[in-house]
Amino acid sequence: MKLYLKIWRQFDTSSKGEMVDYEIDNVSEHMSFLEMLDLLNESLIHKKERVIEFDHDCREGICGQCGIMIDGRAHGPLKNTTTCQLHMRSFKDGDTIYIEPFRAKAFPVLRDLKIDRSAFDKIITAGGFIGASTGQAPEANSIPISYETAEASFDAAACIGCGACVATCKNASAALFTGAKITHLALLPQGKIEASKRVLTMVQQMDAEGFGNCSDTRACEIECPQGVSILSIAKMNAEYTKALIFRK
Ligand code: FES
């Protein structure tokens, strides 16, 4: 199929960017969205033009590196699908597609579609480590955890840190990301000792990075490719309040 692409081009963080028009032919419906961009880049290389830079790594929906606004939606039109797992069969011959980076003050554009997501790393770093006994791995049944608790913790741990929640939120809030990271440890006995300190420092870092406040629109939950629930935000708020009340 033939497609008309409008792609955000920006040389670096301090440059002014703009949408640039491209046409691409012979796109197979079996290609992934990123393979379609690879094909476009090959044609740019042949013309000795600068390639379009974009983030990616695993291309399996695991690492959270890819993240593009496609026709105004984080990761494109499909639910629970990362950009790398989106295929061109979701588009049709003659379509015009708008392709932009995830936009937020805390995610500066590095070049074209590449953004700096180190603000997320700083939130994780602020959380610190969990206390754990050294030595051999403990016997699996020595710390009983109910099925429901384990599943809820796994659901929150499914967050891949892609930033779709931030890019989708009208406030550019990182509450879903931070809430997911806090929730998955707060639910488990291994994370209990540092739970109060962790939630306070992570929320403080989230605010320091310039993310906005959550106003409960649920847009983040709808666009999250991993289906992380906003219950994680409720859990973060509960943990935060508890930590403030019992702070020594
Ligand atoms: S490239 Fe790893 S999730 Fe898309």
Side-chain angles (χ1 to χ4, degrees), residues 22-175:
Y22 296 94
E23 282 183 23
I24 183 167
D25 215 343
N26 298 322
V27 175
S28 159
E29 62 172 8
H30 302 300
M31 281 179 180
S32 72
F33 196 85
L34 298 186
E35 285 168 342
M36 182 275 293
L37 289 179
D38 290 338
L39 188 67
L40 177 62
N41 273 342
E42 279 177 25
S43 72
L44 293 179
I45 289 168
H46 282 127
K47 286 192 265 180
K48 300 200 183 321
E49 290 180 26
R50 186 168 71 77
V51 295
I52 296 150
E53 297 198 22
F54 57 91
D55 290 313
H56 64 100
D57 189 1
C58 70
R59 297 202 177 196
E60 292 180 347
I62 299 168
C63 73
Q65 275 299 299
C66 65
I68 298 177
M69 290 304 267
I70 301 166
D71 287 338
R73 291 190 63 181
H75 294 299
L78 296 190
K79 201 166 166 46
N80 298 338
T81 305
T82 53
T83 303
C84 61
Q85 294 284 281
L86 178 67
H87 285 77
M88 297 315 293
R89 65 185 76 100
S90 295
F91 301 90
K92 55 183 192 317
D93 188 39
D95 273 357
T96 298
I97 309 174
Y98 289 78
I99 304 171
E100 297 170 79
F102 282 180
R103 294 186 193 279
K105 186 175 135 204
F107 289 163
V109 173
L110 294 175
R111 182 163 295 172
D112 301 331
L113 307 173
K114 279 170 63 167
I115 57 167
D116 179 357
R117 266 173 280 204
S118 57
F120 271 5
D121 298 333
K122 289 180 194 156
I123 295 172
I124 296 288
T125 306
F129 301 95
I130 63 157
S133 302
T134 55
Q136 288 188 326
E139 201 281 321
N141 292 319
S142 63
I143 308 173
I145 301 169
S146 73
Y147 171 79
E148 291 76 17
T149 303
E151 282 297 302
S153 180
F154 270 129
D155 286 348
C159 168
I160 55 175
C162 63
C165 49
V166 175
T168 298
C169 176
K170 65 177 183 173
N171 308 321
S173 166

